[in-house]
Short mmCIF file of all heavy atoms in Angstrom, two decimals:
data_model
loop_
_atom_site.label_atom_id
_atom_site.label_comp_id
_atom_site.label_asym_id
_atom_site.label_seq_id
_atom_site.Cartn_x
_atom_site.Cartn_y
_atom_site.Cartn_z
N VAL A 260 -40.95 -7.02 18.31
CA VAL A 260 -40.94 -5.78 17.42
C VAL A 260 -42.39 -5.57 17.07
O VAL A 260 -43.07 -6.44 16.65
CB VAL A 260 -40.16 -6.07 16.08
CG1 VAL A 260 -40.24 -4.82 15.25
CG2 VAL A 260 -38.77 -6.52 16.37
N GLY A 267 -50.58 5.29 13.58
CA GLY A 267 -50.54 4.62 14.92
C GLY A 267 -51.32 3.32 15.05
O GLY A 267 -51.49 2.77 16.00
N LYS A 274 -42.40 -11.76 17.78
CA LYS A 274 -41.98 -12.15 18.99
C LYS A 274 -40.81 -13.14 18.92
O LYS A 274 -40.86 -14.01 18.19
CB LYS A 274 -43.10 -12.71 19.93
CG LYS A 274 -44.25 -11.68 20.14
CD LYS A 274 -45.34 -12.39 21.02
CE LYS A 274 -46.51 -11.43 21.26
NZ LYS A 274 -47.50 -12.08 22.07
N ALA A 360 -29.64 -27.04 36.57
CA ALA A 360 -29.23 -27.50 35.26
C ALA A 360 -28.90 -26.30 34.32
O ALA A 360 -29.51 -25.30 34.38
CB ALA A 360 -30.29 -28.37 34.67
N GLN A 380 -3.79 2.99 -1.96
CA GLN A 380 -3.78 4.34 -1.35
C GLN A 380 -5.25 4.83 -1.26
O GLN A 380 -6.03 4.95 -2.21
CB GLN A 380 -3.02 5.33 -2.31
CG GLN A 380 -2.78 6.70 -1.68
CD GLN A 380 -1.92 7.66 -2.48
OE1 GLN A 380 -2.23 7.79 -3.71
NE2 GLN A 380 -0.93 8.19 -1.93
N TYR A 405 -6.89 3.02 17.60
CA TYR A 405 -5.83 2.93 18.66
C TYR A 405 -4.89 1.84 18.43
O TYR A 405 -5.18 0.87 17.74
CB TYR A 405 -6.54 2.73 20.04
CG TYR A 405 -7.38 3.78 20.49
CD1 TYR A 405 -8.80 3.81 20.19
CD2 TYR A 405 -6.90 4.88 21.27
CE1 TYR A 405 -9.60 4.82 20.63
CE2 TYR A 405 -7.78 5.96 21.73
CZ TYR A 405 -9.06 5.90 21.44
OH TYR A 405 -9.84 6.88 21.92
N ASN A 406 -3.64 1.98 18.95
CA ASN A 406 -2.64 1.00 18.92
C ASN A 406 -2.53 0.31 20.31
O ASN A 406 -2.16 0.93 21.31
CB ASN A 406 -1.27 1.67 18.69
CG ASN A 406 -0.06 0.71 18.49
OD1 ASN A 406 -0.33 -0.53 18.50
ND2 ASN A 406 1.04 1.25 18.33
N TRP A 425 -0.22 8.02 6.90
CA TRP A 425 -0.33 6.82 7.73
C TRP A 425 0.11 5.59 7.00
O TRP A 425 -0.63 5.21 6.05
CB TRP A 425 -1.78 6.79 8.28
CG TRP A 425 -2.23 8.10 8.79
CD1 TRP A 425 -2.90 9.11 8.11
CD2 TRP A 425 -1.99 8.58 10.13
NE1 TRP A 425 -3.12 10.22 8.94
CE2 TRP A 425 -2.59 9.90 10.19
CE3 TRP A 425 -1.43 8.06 11.20
CZ2 TRP A 425 -2.53 10.65 11.34
CZ3 TRP A 425 -1.44 8.82 12.40
CH2 TRP A 425 -1.96 10.09 12.44
N GLY A 428 2.42 0.82 3.52
CA GLY A 428 2.01 -0.24 2.57
C GLY A 428 2.53 -1.57 3.03
O GLY A 428 2.24 -2.60 2.44
N TRP A 448 -19.33 2.60 7.71
CA TRP A 448 -20.16 3.72 8.16
C TRP A 448 -20.96 4.32 6.99
O TRP A 448 -22.22 4.42 7.03
CB TRP A 448 -19.35 4.82 8.90
CG TRP A 448 -20.14 5.99 9.33
CD1 TRP A 448 -20.55 7.01 8.51
CD2 TRP A 448 -20.45 6.42 10.62
NE1 TRP A 448 -21.20 7.98 9.17
CE2 TRP A 448 -21.11 7.61 10.49
CE3 TRP A 448 -20.26 5.80 11.89
CZ2 TRP A 448 -21.68 8.28 11.71
CZ3 TRP A 448 -20.75 6.43 12.98
CH2 TRP A 448 -21.46 7.66 12.84
N VAL A 471 -5.94 -1.85 16.96
CA VAL A 471 -5.10 -2.87 16.14
C VAL A 471 -3.89 -3.30 17.01
O VAL A 471 -3.60 -2.86 18.03
CB VAL A 471 -4.64 -2.17 14.86
CG1 VAL A 471 -5.88 -1.81 13.97
CG2 VAL A 471 -3.79 -0.91 15.19
N ASN A 499 1.13 -9.92 9.59
CA ASN A 499 0.10 -9.47 8.61
C ASN A 499 -1.15 -9.08 9.48
O ASN A 499 -2.01 -9.93 9.76
CB ASN A 499 -0.33 -10.50 7.61
CG ASN A 499 0.85 -10.82 6.74
OD1 ASN A 499 1.24 -10.03 5.92
ND2 ASN A 499 1.36 -12.13 6.86
N HIS A 509 -17.21 -6.90 8.34
CA HIS A 509 -17.71 -8.12 9.08
C HIS A 509 -17.98 -7.78 10.60
O HIS A 509 -18.94 -8.01 11.22
CB HIS A 509 -16.91 -9.33 8.84
CG HIS A 509 -17.34 -10.50 9.62
ND1 HIS A 509 -17.96 -11.62 9.03
CD2 HIS A 509 -17.24 -10.80 10.93
CE1 HIS A 509 -18.21 -12.51 9.96
NE2 HIS A 509 -17.73 -12.07 11.06
N ASN A 549 -13.26 -0.56 -4.63
CA ASN A 549 -11.82 -0.30 -4.48
C ASN A 549 -11.09 -1.16 -5.58
O ASN A 549 -11.29 -2.29 -5.72
CB ASN A 549 -11.39 -0.72 -3.10
CG ASN A 549 -9.90 -0.47 -2.80
OD1 ASN A 549 -9.05 -1.12 -3.44
ND2 ASN A 549 -9.70 0.37 -1.95
N TYR A 588 -30.23 -28.37 7.52
CA TYR A 588 -30.69 -29.75 7.91
C TYR A 588 -30.94 -29.66 9.45
O TYR A 588 -30.58 -28.70 10.12
CB TYR A 588 -29.62 -30.81 7.58
CG TYR A 588 -28.33 -30.68 8.33
CD1 TYR A 588 -28.12 -31.50 9.42
CD2 TYR A 588 -27.31 -29.78 7.93
CE1 TYR A 588 -26.89 -31.37 10.14
CE2 TYR A 588 -26.20 -29.67 8.60
CZ TYR A 588 -25.91 -30.45 9.63
OH TYR A 588 -24.72 -30.41 10.33
N SER A 589 -31.52 -30.66 9.95
CA SER A 589 -32.07 -30.54 11.38
C SER A 589 -30.97 -30.33 12.42
O SER A 589 -31.15 -29.83 13.47
CB SER A 589 -32.85 -31.83 11.70
OG SER A 589 -32.12 -32.98 11.60
N LYS A 617 -21.13 -18.54 -13.42
CA LYS A 617 -20.99 -17.14 -13.85
C LYS A 617 -19.70 -16.60 -13.40
O LYS A 617 -19.04 -17.11 -12.40
CB LYS A 617 -22.20 -16.28 -13.41
CG LYS A 617 -22.42 -16.34 -11.96
CD LYS A 617 -23.68 -15.53 -11.61
CE LYS A 617 -24.94 -15.96 -12.29
NZ LYS A 617 -25.33 -17.27 -11.92
N THR A 677 -46.55 -9.40 -3.00
CA THR A 677 -46.44 -10.85 -2.77
C THR A 677 -46.56 -11.64 -4.14
O THR A 677 -46.36 -12.80 -4.11
CB THR A 677 -47.42 -11.30 -1.76
OG1 THR A 677 -48.81 -10.89 -2.22
CG2 THR A 677 -47.19 -10.81 -0.47
N VAL A 743 -45.67 -31.34 -4.77
CA VAL A 743 -46.26 -31.83 -3.51
C VAL A 743 -47.24 -30.89 -3.02
O VAL A 743 -46.94 -29.83 -2.45
CB VAL A 743 -45.15 -32.05 -2.42
CG1 VAL A 743 -45.81 -32.76 -1.26
CG2 VAL A 743 -44.01 -32.93 -3.02
N SER A 777 -46.51 -17.01 12.96
CA SER A 777 -47.69 -17.11 13.68
C SER A 777 -48.96 -17.22 12.87
O SER A 777 -50.05 -17.19 13.35
CB SER A 777 -47.83 -15.90 14.61
OG SER A 777 -47.85 -14.72 13.97
#
Side-chain angles (χ1 to χ4, degrees):
V260 182
K274 298 180 180 180
Q380 187 177 51
Y405 294 90
N406 184 4
W425 310 92
W448 175 286
V471 297
N499 297 293
H509 175 108
N549 184 294
Y588 67 100
S589 60
K617 53 183 58 66
T677 56
V743 184
S777 59

